[in-house]
Amino acid sequence: MSYHSIIDNFMISAFRMTSFYYLVVGGLVSLLLGGMSLAGNVSSMADLQKHVHQVASRVTAATVALVSDGGETGSGVIVTPQGLILTAAHVVGGDEIMRVVFADGRVVKGRVLGANFTRDAAMVQIMDGGNYPHVELGESDGLHVGDFVVALGHSKGFDPERRAPIRMGRLCTDGKQRFLISECTLIGGDSGGPLFNLNGELIGIHSRVGSGLEDNLHVPMKDFDALMESPASGKAPLPPSPERDG
């Protein structure tokens, strides 16, 4: 291997480590700047760390990368053993088939069941039969400002050298708004990824990043509830929406 190749590989690895570091530490800093008092049943930073670790260990395998025919990448999360994936509408775009990439690098095909661009909500069904890792569904209506949340996503696309980065923060809005807003820092590739409460229940799907650190938008689960009334075939139609939002 040439000298320049060694330097290039070193710089790529350093960039990956630095990016991952700032994604995780960014969430910690936002918590510390907000004060050391914790909400709900979380009584200390040690308890919070334990909760986040437990959530991550349960949901990482179900957090997948989605890749379009054109190579655009986003994230999604599996919510049934049969392989039903929730994601953001702008991730699937106009594609009918997406590549689904698991944490171990395995790739399968998924069929887009539909997309509602007004709500930025979409569903994808893995085409291969199987018993897939999946997460539990939660409710968004009862969420409050200050609730702690955990975000995952394949930031900058799938990377075989790391798992989906984990971020934590607090909600800046309650569950009655059109979008949830959190302190969890989102970047390209995170769109369509999952947002969890500290019980490991799915409460939202990443939509887009706003103008500031606390303007990270997530589609609340209430916008997916009607879509989850799936017929026996495992497919559920989405409400039609002819136009995209922004």
Side-chain angles (χ1 to χ4, degrees), residues 74-148:
S75 300
V77 61
I78 305 173
V79 296
T80 69
Q82 294 78 27
L84 183 64
I85 299 170
L86 300 188
T87 186
H90 74 271
V91 170
V92 301
D95 286 13
E96 295 183 358
I97 302 295
M98 301 288 289
R99 282 177 286 161
V100 181
V101 187
F102 289 86
D104 60 4
R106 182 165 55 108
V107 180
V108 298
K109 290 184 177 180
R111 183 179 302 279
V112 178
L113 301 184
N116 183 335
F117 291 100
T118 299
R119 295 295 184 182
D120 203 15
M123 299 173 71
V124 176
Q125 176 66 51
I126 294 176
M127 298 169 66
D128 294 344
N131 186 15
Y132 293 98
H134 60 283
V135 303
E136 298 179 15
L137 300 179
E139 297 182 355
S140 56
D141 283 342
L143 299 173
H144 301 90
V145 174
D147 286 351
F148 282 94

Side-chain angles (χ1 to χ4, degrees), residues 38-59:
L38 301 180
N41 63 349
V42 181
S43 59
S44 68
M45 289 300 291
D47 288 337
L48 178 58
Q49 183 180 14
K50 178 180 178 181
H51 276 78
V52 172
H53 176 75
Q54 290 175 340
V55 171
S57 64
R58 290 164 51 188
V59 305

